[in-house]
Amino acid sequence: MKKIAVFDTKPYDIEFFDKYKNEYDFEIDYFESKLRYESVALTKGYDAVIAFVNDNINSKTIDKLIENGIDVIGMRCAGFNNIDVKHAKNKISIYRVPAYSPNAVAEHAMSLLMCLNRKIHKAHNRVRDFNFSLNGLVGFDLKGKTMGVVGTGKIGREFIKICNGFGMEVISYDPYPIDDENIEYVDLDYLFENSDIIALHCPLTRNNYHMINKKSMEMMKDGVIIINTSRGALIDTEDLLEAIKKEKVGGAALDVYEEEADFFFEDVSNVTIHDDVLKLLLSTTNVLVTSHQAFLTKEALDSIAHTTLQNLKDFFDDKENDNKLVL
Ligand code: NAI
């Protein structure tokens, strides 16, 4: 029986991996710690590891995994910007779950926008204090507004459909446009200049690090809303805070943050936070932050567990599998 070590595990992961482990005849141990060089010693005696978005799979970690006899990493997520893929090439196999529930993320992006725009979070806090005043809660109709979608992959396309349902005008940018008459492609500068709301649905790559920065925000409409459910480092957070302070940007709804690894998914309410940018972000009135939870639906967790274990089985059975990263 193959032995699998799952890192950065939370109770909701265990529920769904346990559901499938007998079907795959794997012995699974769950570790709360993240997979990184400091914790990689735990992998000794295992055949495979399962890792997540904020694990740090750098060259040192990869070398140690190989030394410990690990031949395969199953990422239980779509993104893989936390892996030194170049270093892993020809040394260790890596699989991912490219699509588990694109609509879960797209629906969360729209939820963030709705909450931020109609100030539901503020209204909820107010009425709990018997404050029924509406002052400061004015939002705007989404109907007729222009949504700029950056990245028209699986999530972006679901998000476009939702926006169409709201009667919004949608313009999109993607360096690899697809042939779909329902998607209106424009260049990125045009999207920045003409969108009332901009939603990021692209991966983080070497080319788009901090694509939302002082310069790009200067091009945008005054009061633009920015939604990011993709990866934190697509946005220069300090520039964003400055643009919000100057009221250039009207608001930001963020499910991801560039320095999230030490905080997101964890309860650090009793810890002194030394990240001043995060503190400022959380205390800024037009900013709504969730803790990388866009994927968190029952359907997505079920699909993640099932596909991750199937990926590992295919590796052990030496079967073709499209979820293997090209290394
Ligand atoms: P996908 O691979 O289906 O689509 C990504 C699209 O982005 C592709 O069409 C690609 O051509 C495009 N793209 C690549 N570079 C770009 C650039 N510089 N500018 C604009 N578009 C670019 O990926 P999917 O499933 O739609 O996911 C998108 C991103 O969402 C993931 O990379 C991941 O970072 C994030 N994500 C976040 C989750 C969360 O819980 N917050 C959960 C799952 C994914």
Side-chain angles (χ1 to χ4, degrees):
M1 189 185 279
K2 297 292 183 191
K3 281 188 75 181
I4 318 286
V6 185
F7 282 82
D8 199 8
T9 323
K10 299 285 183 283
Y12 46 82
D13 298 310
I14 296 174
E15 183 188 338
F16 289 95
F17 276 98
D18 274 354
K19 179 177 165 189
Y20 289 110
K21 72 175 179 191
N22 292 337
E23 184 183 319
Y24 286 95
D25 207 20
F26 289 146
E27 185 183 329
I28 301 183
D29 287 327
Y30 300 102
F31 295 99
E32 282 182 20
S33 57
K34 292 190 172 55
L35 177 59
R36 45 179 59 155
Y37 184 69
E38 293 73 17
S39 63
V40 72
L42 294 167
T43 63
K44 215 163 181 173
Y46 289 91
D47 299 293
V49 297
I50 293 178
F52 196 45
V53 290
N54 288 324
D55 293 320
N56 183 1
I57 308 172
N58 59 19
S59 55
K60 272 167 60 182
T61 310
I62 290 170
D63 289 343
K64 199 73 192 166
L65 283 169
I66 294 164
E67 202 183 302
N68 286 353
I70 304 287
D71 298 322
V72 56
I73 303 171
M75 297 303 294
R76 57 178 198 281
C77 53
F80 49 92
N81 53 287
N82 53 333
I83 309 173
D84 189 337
V85 173
K86 213 167 140 197
H87 189 78
K89 195 172 175 170
N90 299 328
K91 293 191 186 122
I92 192 163
S93 294
I94 303 173
Y95 291 78
R96 66 177 183 132
V97 185
Y100 33 91
S101 177
N103 39 296
V105 182
E107 287 171 18
H108 190 75
M110 184 48 93
S111 307
L112 286 174
L113 172 58
M114 296 293 284
C115 184
L116 181 71
N117 172 33
R118 302 304 298 270
K119 302 171 177 59
I120 310 285
H121 53 313
K122 290 184 187 174
H124 177 67
N125 287 338
R126 275 190 196 183
V127 295
R128 280 156 57 111
D129 278 343
F130 292 85
N131 174 358
F132 299 103
S133 157
L134 299 184
N135 293 338
L137 298 184
V138 179
F140 57 84
D141 285 11
L142 291 183
K143 186 172 181 184
K145 297 293 182 303
T146 300
M147 171 66 76
V149 175
V150 180
T152 58
K154 292 174 285 298
I155 296 169
R157 292 201 296 277
E158 285 300 325
F159 188 69
I160 291 171
K161 282 189 222 157
I162 295 173
C163 294
N164 287 335
F166 274 82
M168 305 183 80
E169 304 292 326
V170 184
I171 53 176
S172 303
Y173 165 75
D174 195 308
Y176 307 100
I178 57 158
D179 190 12
D180 182 339
E181 59 181 22
N182 296 315
I183 301 180
E184 183 187 342
Y185 284 106
V186 296
D187 67 41
L188 191 57
D189 286 359
Y190 183 92
L191 184 146
F192 285 156
E193 284 162 7
N194 290 282
S195 302
D196 299 300
I197 303 142
I198 294 172
L200 304 179
H201 294 298
C202 57
L204 174 65
T205 66
R206 237 177 267 153
N207 301 330
N208 63 11
Y209 174 79
H210 280 182
M211 70 187 296
I212 304 296
N213 54 32
K214 186 171 187 286
K215 199 166 152 230
S216 57
M217 283 184 283
E218 269 165 10
M219 297 165 70
M220 294 175 194
K221 283 188 177 183
D222 291 345
V224 63
I225 305 276
I226 297 173
I227 314 286
N228 188 8
T229 57
S230 281
R231 285 294 178 266
L234 292 170
I235 299 181
D236 183 323
T237 317
E238 292 191 42
D239 284 3
L240 175 68
L241 284 166
E242 193 57 29
I244 291 173
K245 199 164 92 187
K246 289 185 175 152
E247 298 182 9
K248 174 70 194 174
V249 169
L254 312 171
D255 187 49
V256 285
Y257 165 56
E258 53 184 321
E259 300 298 336
E260 71 179 46
D262 290 337
F263 309 107
F264 282 24
F265 306 112
E266 308 298 335
D267 178 0
V268 288
S269 53
N270 284 324
V271 177
T272 306
I273 303 290
H274 296 286
D275 182 333
D276 291 339
V277 176
L278 179 61
K279 283 197 275 192
L280 206 53
L281 208 52
L282 297 177
S283 60
T284 298
T285 186
N286 298 336
V287 176
L288 184 62
V289 177
T290 51
S291 177
H292 207 138
Q293 72 173 74
F295 71 100
L296 200 66
T297 64
K298 287 177 189 168
E299 292 79 1
L301 289 169
D302 191 283
S303 171
I304 287 169
H306 196 219
T307 309
T308 306
L309 295 179
Q310 183 65 46
N311 288 345
L312 295 183
K313 185 173 185 318
D314 287 346
F315 170 81
F316 292 128
D317 294 348
D318 215 5
K319 279 201 181 141
E320 283 286 307
N321 179 320
D322 288 344
N323 297 337
K324 186 172 182 176
L325 288 173
V326 182
L327 297 177

